Amino acid sequence: MEYRGPMLVVKDMERSKAFYRKILEVDIISDFGENVTFNGGLSLQTEESWIFFTGCDKEVFNYQNNTVEFYFEAKDFDGFIERTKGEELEFLRDVAMMPWGQQVACFYDPDKHVIQVGEDLTVMVKRLAADGLTVDELGEKTFLGKEIVENMLSS
């Protein structure tokens, strides 16, 4: 058996496709109308087809349950944040700096699925190194360890 990735139930496929393509810059690799798959393995399924396939009632749907997040990383995190400023995004909180030094943003997609975008870890390590942290300090702060940090810095 092989895991293929999450599938999100959505109310409006066209709105959701536009959101994921524009905001998260993912590409569609297959589009069957009621089901769309993006690069990276994330898929969307219309509410109507999900009800048909599963036999569930619409009443069992629980959008905005806040118990699952879908995580993305951006090499240009600041550029990503700047690009989202004109968009109608509902952020769960302000952009945050995690204890390990990574910048993250957390917001909802159109159907209230939680999306988190973090700064690419290699970019984070290089930024922290430019701030003067040694390899040993970076390994400890980021929880990545010295060897992984050295590999990131040399890439």
Side-chain angles (χ1 to χ4, degrees):
M1 183 177 305
E2 187 175 328
Y3 177 69
R4 295 294 182 168
M7 183 167 57
L8 305 178
V9 176
V10 300
K11 296 176 189 175
D12 181 336
M13 182 62 80
E14 293 307 313
R15 181 178 179 203
S16 293
K17 284 189 325 190
F19 171 87
Y20 281 91
R21 292 184 74 213
K22 182 177 184 181
I23 302 298
L24 298 168
E25 298 181 323
V26 293
D27 295 319
I28 294 172
I29 59 172
S30 66
D31 186 342
F32 300 105
E34 294 180 331
N35 177 280
V36 173
T37 301
F38 297 100
N39 61 307
L42 177 63
S43 297
L44 306 178
Q45 185 81 32
T46 62
E47 201 174 77
E48 296 81 16
S49 62
W50 183 253
I51 289 169
F52 175 77
F53 292 141
T54 64
C56 292
D57 293 323
K58 188 174 182 171
E59 291 74 38
V60 303
F61 285 52
N62 185 19
Y63 292 100
Q64 193 176 344
N65 64 21
N66 293 333
T67 60
V68 175
E69 78 174 25
F70 297 89
Y71 177 72
F72 296 80
E73 285 188 354
K75 291 192 183 301
D76 179 8
F77 184 81
D78 293 335
F80 167 76
I81 294 301
E82 188 61 35
R83 198 168 44 77
T84 64
K85 286 189 177 174
E87 302 297 330
E88 293 182 24
L89 294 179
E90 182 181 347
F91 283 83
L92 279 73
R93 63 171 181 207
D94 292 334
V95 172
M97 181 71 71
M98 297 289 101
W100 54 92
Q102 183 186 33
Q103 300 176 90
V104 299
C106 202
F107 51 92
Y108 291 115
D109 81 353
D111 294 290
K112 302 292 186 182
H113 301 293
V114 177
I115 305 295
Q116 180 160 261
V117 175
E119 176 182 25
D120 176 84
L121 292 179
T122 299
V123 171
M124 173 199 72
V125 166
K126 289 179 179 182
R127 176 178 51 78
L128 293 172
D131 288 345
L133 271 69
T134 67
V135 171
D136 288 331
E137 291 169 332
L138 285 166
E140 186 174 320
K141 177 174 183 64
T142 63
F143 306 108
L144 295 170
K146 183 177 179 177
E147 185 178 328
I148 292 173
V149 166
E150 287 173 334
N151 289 338
M152 289 176 156
L153 290 173
S154 67
S155 66

